[in-house]
């Protein structure tokens, strides 16, 4: 589970993880936000109307959902179950409210928070990205502060002041979480080492 204020570099880092680490997939969220330039439906998000989103909430189709920067975002239960069945580790790129909701039911997940080196640098990155208007950027900075206040709900903090270093840190977290005792199949231990 990865959260970060927008502009912290999370999307770039997630793309690199998906490309380099085997057997890991991103859960594509549903959103009522308008697609940005270059975004593809069902790849970056599944873009839906507010009415469609509300109907999905009523039918209990989300593992979690939240309002972020004035738009609705949600993780599809069906998509999670499918990836899980197929044996993938799943990256959820969700905000702090969503992560806190999921923590109640999803106790074996790893919660990672990516931080920008400072709010000033975050603002510069958002301006350089040229995808959001000035007032949207101001709202994102305010939201970033509120999100960072939840840092303690996460298992790991990665500060993205160098993409290379932040990637290496994320990679280490994923590799070590795959080595957790809880992920070992007892039958495998039994067969290989003849112990119960
Ligand atoms: P953006 O609009 O910049 O792609 O994403 C804005 C924020 O929404 C990001 O912090 C991202 O993590 C969050 N987000 C994306 N998908 C979901 C989701 O399914 N659930 C929740 N709770 N947050 C999401």
């Amino acid at each position: 589970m990865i959260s970060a204020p927008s502009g912290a570099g999370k999307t770039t880092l997630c793309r690199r993880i998906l490309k380099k680490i085997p057997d890991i997939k991103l859960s594509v969220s549903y959103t009522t936000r308008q697609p940005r330039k270059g975004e593809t439906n069902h790849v970056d998000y599944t873009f839906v109307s507010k009415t469609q989103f509300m109907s999905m909430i009523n039918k209990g189709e989300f593992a979690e959902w939240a309002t972020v920067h004035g738009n609705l975002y949600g993780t599809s239960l069906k998509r999670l179950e499918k990836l899980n069945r197929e044996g993938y580790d799943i990256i959820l790129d969700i905000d702090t409210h969503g992560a806190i909701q999921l923590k109640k039911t999803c106790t074996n997940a790893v919660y990672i928070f990516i931080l920008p080196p400072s709010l000033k640098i975050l603002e510069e990155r958002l301006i350089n990205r040229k995808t959001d208007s000035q007032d949207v950027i101001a709202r994102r900075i305010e939201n970033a502060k509120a999100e960072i206040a939840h840092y303690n709900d996460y298992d790991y903090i990665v500060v993205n002041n160098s993409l290379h270093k932040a990637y290496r840190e994320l990679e280490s977290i994923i590799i070590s979480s795959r080595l957790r005792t809880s992920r070992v199949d007892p039958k495998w231990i039994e067969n290989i080492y003849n112990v119960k």
Side-chain angles (χ1 to χ4, degrees), residues 50-68:
K50 204 167 169 187
T51 316
Q52 282 171 296
F53 197 99
M54 295 312 287
S55 144
M56 288 181 76
I57 295 177
N58 291 334
K59 288 194 230 148
E61 291 183 18
F62 289 121
E64 63 72 39
W65 66 272
T67 305
V68 190

Side-chain angles (χ1 to χ4, degrees), residues 51-130:
T51 316
Q52 282 171 296
F53 197 99
M54 295 312 287
S55 144
M56 288 181 76
I57 295 177
N58 291 334
K59 288 194 230 148
E61 291 183 18
F62 289 121
E64 63 72 39
W65 66 272
T67 305
V68 190
H69 315 307
N71 294 303
L72 297 164
Y73 294 82
T75 304
S76 153
L77 258 176
K78 235 191 247 168
R79 285 184 180 172
L80 287 188
E81 284 163 3
K82 181 168 183 284
L83 291 172
N84 204 17
R85 262 199 319 273
E86 290 168 350
Y88 290 107
D89 278 337
I90 311 167
I91 298 187
L92 296 186
D93 168 351
I94 61 177
D95 84 319
T96 46
H97 295 107
I100 292 163
Q101 273 183 62
L102 270 187
K103 235 182 148 181
K104 291 179 196 144
T105 49
C106 230
T107 45
N108 60 351
V110 177
Y111 293 81
I112 308 167
F113 202 30
I114 301 171
L115 291 179
S118 70
L119 287 179
K120 179 99 189 67
I121 293 175
L122 180 68
E123 190 178 7
E124 280 165 20
R125 284 183 187 166
L126 290 175
I127 293 169
N128 290 338
R129 199 159 82 173
K130 295 193 173 93

